[in-house]
Amino acid sequence: MASDRLKALSPALCSQCTGPGYPSPREAMLNGPREKIVYLPCITPPQFKKTRADYLATVDVDPTSPTYSKVIHRLLMPYLEDELHHSGWNACSSCHDDPSRARNRLILPAINSDRLYIIDVATDPRAPRFHKIIEPSDVHKKTGLGAPHTTHCLGSGEVMISCIGDSEGGKTKTGFIILDGKDFSLMENWEKGHIEMGYDFWYQPRHNVMISTEWGAPRAWRNGFKLEDVESELYGHRLYVWDWEKHTLQQTLELGKEGMIPLEIRFLHDPAATTGYVGCALSSTVIRFYRTPKGDWATETVIKIPPKKVEGWALPEMPGLITDILVSLDDRFLYFSNWLHGDIRQYDISNRSKPKLVGQVFLGGSIQSDGPVKVIKDEERTSQPEPVFVQDKRLEGSPQMIQLSLDGKRLYVTNSLFTAWDEQFYPEMCKRGGWMLQIDVDTDKGGLTLNKNFMIDFGEEPYGPVLGHEIRYPGGDCTSDIWL
C-alpha cells in the first residue's frame, strides 16, 4: 500500500507546518487535500496571436461542485504574443517551517515575450488577479537572459527561474534569474559562469547539487522544428551539474545520441536520494542520473521507446517524442507522455535501473488508425491505436503536459507543446482548440484509465479556441515542491 511505501521517505516529520506545504513527501501524499481547482495557461493559436491575448484559466476539478469540469475564471494578459508556458510558486514545501511564507503568488513567465507575470492567487483563489508585471526590457537589462522557463521557490524565500537562451534568442549564454520572494524585484543572475542553452532544473541541497537540462536555441524552436537545426547543434544533448552553494558548474554530462533534447528533469522526492530521471524528447529515452561512489555524477539509459517505421509522414521513422515526465510522491511510479505516438505511460521504478511498464493509455497522436499515417513496422504494437472520443469530441493532438494529484490517484493531461510546433504537427488541434483530461491511476498494481466524465474542451472557449499547457494546484504538486 502507499502508506507502507512512504515509510522509507524522509522520516523526520513535524507535528504542524507553520509555513506553506508539507514537511515531507510522505505527509503531502497521505494528508494533502484533494485538489478542487487547478490553474493552467491557455495560449492563443498561431492564427490569432496578433489579435488575442493568452490567459490563465482556473478549472474546477471538484466532482461535488456544480461547476465541475468547467473553466470558472479567465485572467487575460494585457499583452499579445506572450506564449505563456510553465509556472511556479513563490513558496513551497522547501520553506514549510517558515511562518512568514505563504504560497500566495503564482510566477508565470512568457517564453516568447520574456515577460514575467506575478499572479495573486490568495485574495480570491478562484479568480486570480495581477500582482506585478516585470517587463522584458528589465529582464534583459538586468540579466542578459531570455526565454524564461522553469520556476522553483527556494528555501531562502527567493524565487529562481531558469532561462533557455540569451536576450537575443540565441545560445551564446543562459542561466538563472533570482527574484526577491517578497517584492518580486529582479535581484541578479544565480550562476557564476554561463552555459549555452538551458531549460529545466531541480536542486537537492542535502547533496549540494543542482542539475539542469537544455532544449535549444530560442531562435530555432520559436520557428518550428527543423532537423537541420539539430545537425547545426542548435538543440541540446547535455546535463549540467552545479554546485548549489557556490553557483558554479561542476560537471557536464554528455548524453550524445541517446539523450537528444533532454527536457524535464526530476530528482526523486526523497531529499536524501541521489538519483533521478530526465526525459529526452528526440531520442525518446528516459535517462537515469545518479551520484557515483567517487562523488561525481553519471548516467544510464533505462527506457527506450522504439521509433515506428511509417509512410505518409515527414520522415520514414517517427519517434515517440517524450515531452513531459514526473515521479509520484512515494517515488514508486514514473509517468511520461509520447507526444507524437500519442500515449501516456506509467512505469514502476522500484528498481531504479529497470523500470517496468505497468500502465498505458492512448489519447490521440499521429498514428491513429483513421489518420493519414500508416505504420509499416512497430516493435511494440500489432495494430494502430483507434481514435478516442470523449463527450462526442474526437481527441485532436496528443497528450503532452501531465500533473499528478498528491495522493497519486488522478493524472491530469493537456495537449499543447509550443504553438509553433502544435501548428506544425497537429494543425487540426490549433483550429479546433486543445483539451484537458483526467486519468484514473491504479496506485497498487499500476494501470491507467481515462475518466470520460471529465473534459475541458478549449475549442468552446468564449474568446475562441485556445491551447492549454502546464497544470498547477494551489496546494502544491509533485513537479513544483522540493523538500530540503
Side-chain angles (χ1 to χ4, degrees):
M1 300 298 290
S3 59
D4 295 327
R5 294 193 301 271
L6 284 165
K7 288 180 180 178
L9 293 184
S10 193
L13 306 178
C14 67
S15 60
Q16 182 179 1
C17 289
T18 56
Y22 306 88
S24 72
R26 178 179 185 272
E27 284 285 287
M29 191 169 191
L30 295 180
N31 299 322
R34 176 171 176 146
E35 64 284 355
K36 293 186 177 181
I37 59 172
V38 300
Y39 305 121
L40 72 156
C42 289
I43 301 93
T44 303
Q47 66 269 29
F48 300 117
K49 280 190 174 295
K50 299 292 184 180
T51 57
R52 285 170 37 200
D54 301 344
Y55 56 87
L56 180 69
T58 307
V59 174
D60 189 333
V61 295
D62 180 0
T64 66
S65 169
T67 54
Y68 174 63
S69 189
K70 295 184 183 300
V71 178
I72 59 174
H73 186 264
R74 301 165 185 87
L75 179 66
L76 273 77
M77 301 299 110
Y79 300 95
L80 301 177
E81 301 186 85
D82 273 323
E83 188 90 28
L84 302 179
H85 201 63
H86 286 211
S87 62
W89 296 106
N90 66 312
C92 70
S93 292
S94 64
C95 45
H96 74 273
D97 57 350
D98 184 351
S100 70
R101 307 296 298 158
R103 198 192 314 254
N104 56 14
R105 299 290 183 267
L106 186 69
I107 316 301
L108 189 55
I111 59 171
N112 262 0
S113 68
D114 298 351
R115 192 169 281 112
L116 303 176
Y117 293 101
I118 314 300
I119 310 299
D120 174 3
V121 296
T123 303
D124 185 350
R126 296 172 70 88
R129 62 189 68 180
F130 291 107
H131 175 74
K132 183 176 182 176
I133 299 174
I134 302 174
E135 294 296 341
S137 57
D138 295 326
V139 174
H140 298 164
K141 182 178 179 180
K142 184 74 174 181
T143 70
L145 307 182
H149 187 265
T150 298
T151 301
H152 277 305
C153 67
L154 307 184
S156 63
E158 297 165 332
V159 176
M160 185 166 167
I161 305 171
S162 64
C163 289
I164 306 177
D166 59 38
S167 59
E168 301 298 322
K171 67 166 210 173
T172 59
K173 69 172 185 178
T174 197
F176 308 87
I177 296 170
I178 295 293
L179 300 181
D180 183 279
K182 295 182 179 179
D183 64 10
F184 301 101
S185 58
L186 285 165
M187 295 178 64
E188 59 186 351
N189 294 62
W190 177 87
E191 72 282 355
K192 308 299 182 185
H194 299 292
I195 54 176
E196 285 189 349
M197 292 183 286
Y199 186 72
D200 196 21
F201 72 101
W202 197 282
Y203 64 89
Q204 288 283 57
R206 290 194 189 182
H207 309 293
N208 190 35
V209 68
M210 181 185 81
I211 302 182
S212 63
T213 66
E214 52 182 13
W215 180 8
R219 64 181 174 87
W221 47 258
R222 280 175 175 160
N223 295 309
F225 178 75
K226 300 181 182 68
L227 198 59
E228 54 264 34
D229 288 340
V230 178
E231 297 166 353
S232 298
E233 291 285 313
L234 293 178
Y235 285 96
H237 43 82
R238 302 178 183 92
L239 300 182
Y240 297 101
V241 182
W242 300 82
D243 184 300
W244 182 242
E245 295 178 356
K246 296 179 180 178
H247 307 185
T248 55
L249 184 64
Q250 297 297 296
Q251 188 179 355
T252 299
L253 298 174
E254 174 60 62
L255 304 180
K257 292 183 179 180
E258 286 275 289
M260 292 302 300
I261 311 185
L263 296 180
E264 312 296 339
I265 187 167
R266 315 292 185 208
F267 263 95
L268 296 186
H269 295 287
D270 179 359
T274 55
T275 188
Y277 301 89
V278 59
C280 302
L282 190 58
S283 56
S284 301
T285 55
V286 174
I287 291 178
R288 184 176 82 95
F289 57 88
Y290 59 95
R291 193 173 65 180
T292 73
K294 295 188 299 181
D296 62 351
W297 294 79
T299 64
E300 63 173 343
T301 302
V302 295
I303 299 173
K304 293 183 180 181
I305 305 301
K308 301 182 188 299
K309 292 187 177 181
V310 296
E311 294 177 347
W313 197 63
L315 298 171
E317 287 192 342
M318 180 189 293
L321 206 77
I322 296 173
T323 49
D324 195 17
I325 72 168
L326 60 81
V327 176
S328 60
L329 285 178
D330 60 0
D331 291 338
R332 183 187 173 194
F333 293 115
L334 172 75
Y335 300 83
F336 64 79
S337 52
N338 283 309
W339 193 63
L340 289 179
H341 290 175
D343 61 315
I344 294 176
R345 300 190 181 205
Q346 176 192 26
Y347 285 80
D348 187 323
I349 54 171
S350 300
N351 183 332
R352 307 304 187 198
S353 294
K354 295 182 178 180
K356 178 183 178 183
L357 181 64
V358 293
Q360 184 179 27
V361 60
F362 277 84
L363 303 169
S366 297
I367 58 168
Q368 296 176 84
S369 61
D370 64 346
V373 176
K374 180 181 179 181
V375 178
I376 57 176
K377 184 177 180 181
D378 192 331
E379 296 181 23
E380 296 183 309
R381 294 179 57 87
T382 57
S383 63
Q384 296 181 226
E386 296 296 320
V388 178
F389 293 82
V390 181
Q391 299 177 8
D392 298 323
K393 179 183 175 68
R394 187 184 192 275
L395 297 185
E396 301 291 347
S398 183
Q400 206 283 102
M401 295 305 299
I402 53 178
Q403 189 59 267
L404 189 66
S405 60
L406 292 178
D407 63 8
K409 297 182 182 297
R410 293 165 301 284
L411 189 72
Y412 296 93
V413 54
T414 57
N415 58 342
S416 172
L417 193 158
F418 178 74
T419 55
W421 293 37
D422 295 343
E423 185 178 41
Q424 180 178 356
F425 292 100
Y426 293 111
E428 196 64 27
M429 177 180 74
C430 290
K431 293 178 183 177
R432 298 189 183 186
W435 39 254
M436 175 180 168
L437 302 172
Q438 186 237 301
I439 297 167
D440 294 323
V441 180
D442 185 333
T443 57
D444 185 15
K445 298 179 180 179
L448 304 175
T449 305
L450 176 63
N451 176 2
K452 293 196 172 184
N453 294 319
F454 182 96
M455 180 182 186
I456 306 297
D457 182 354
F458 289 118
E460 300 297 325
E461 284 292 275
Y463 307 112
V466 292
L467 305 167
H469 200 68
E470 190 187 43
I471 299 162
R472 286 279 176 238
Y473 308 141
D477 50 64
C478 65
T479 60
S480 63
D481 275 32
I482 293 177
W483 282 266
L484 307 184

